[in-house]
Amino acid sequence: QVQLVESGGGLVQAGGSLRLSCAASGRTFSRDVMGWFRQAPGMEREFVASIRWSGDSTYYADSVKGRFTISRDDAKNTVYLQMNSLKPEDTAVYYCASKRGFVSNYEYWGQGTQVTVSS
């Protein structure tokens, strides 16, 4: 089993920054890939960024490239999402997720943390 706990959400003005954290526990082979997703009110859940525990491969949605950075701290079993130059359209519940490297779908999900960007 894998447990994921997000933190760091809150209210910020447009142009500001927030840093989200995802603390992971459980078997490491069930979290080869860590991802961030978000779901805005009335919208479908969408992919934001991902990173592998082993290696340096990262991927970003076009909407956040150049503004968001995903990173990890192996010693703390924590994945971060640094969000800069925030826009009102970034307002959403942000979810941390994990999966094994050889499966298509993310298997474990956190409960989410709210990010609200005011204009």
Side-chain angles (χ1 to χ4, degrees), residues 22-118:
C22 174
S25 62
R27 308 306 294 269
T28 58
F29 55 75
S30 294
R31 47 183 173 91
D32 293 331
V33 182
M34 304 294 296
W36 284 99
F37 294 76
R38 67 186 182 185
Q39 187 167 24
M43 303 292 288
E44 297 292 325
R45 182 179 296 177
E46 65 175 341
F47 169 81
V48 175
S50 66
I51 189 170
R52 286 186 173 270
W53 283 113
S54 299
D56 298 318
S57 297
T58 58
Y59 298 92
Y60 297 93
D62 288 342
S63 60
V64 305
K65 286 181 179 177
R67 299 188 298 120
F68 292 10
T69 302
I70 188 170
S71 62
R72 68 177 189 268
D73 186 328
D74 293 346
K76 296 181 178 180
N77 292 307
T78 300
V79 176
Y80 304 97
L81 185 68
Q82 179 66 47
M83 305 185 294
N84 299 325
S85 302
L86 283 163
K87 306 174 181 179
E89 52 262 43
D90 294 319
T91 295
V93 176
Y94 283 71
Y95 296 91
C96 180
S98 71
K99 73 178 188 73
R100 292 166 290 171
F102 57 88
V103 303
S104 297
N105 299 325
Y106 283 81
E107 300 172 285
Y108 298 93
W109 296 82
Q111 67 272 54
T113 185
Q114 176 70 48
V115 172
T116 302
V117 184
S118 64

Side-chain angles (χ1 to χ4, degrees), residues 2-21:
V2 173
Q3 295 81 45
L4 305 173
V5 180
E6 304 97 332
S7 62
L11 175 64
V12 65
Q13 293 182 342
S17 299
L18 282 175
R19 187 197 194 197
L20 305 184
S21 298

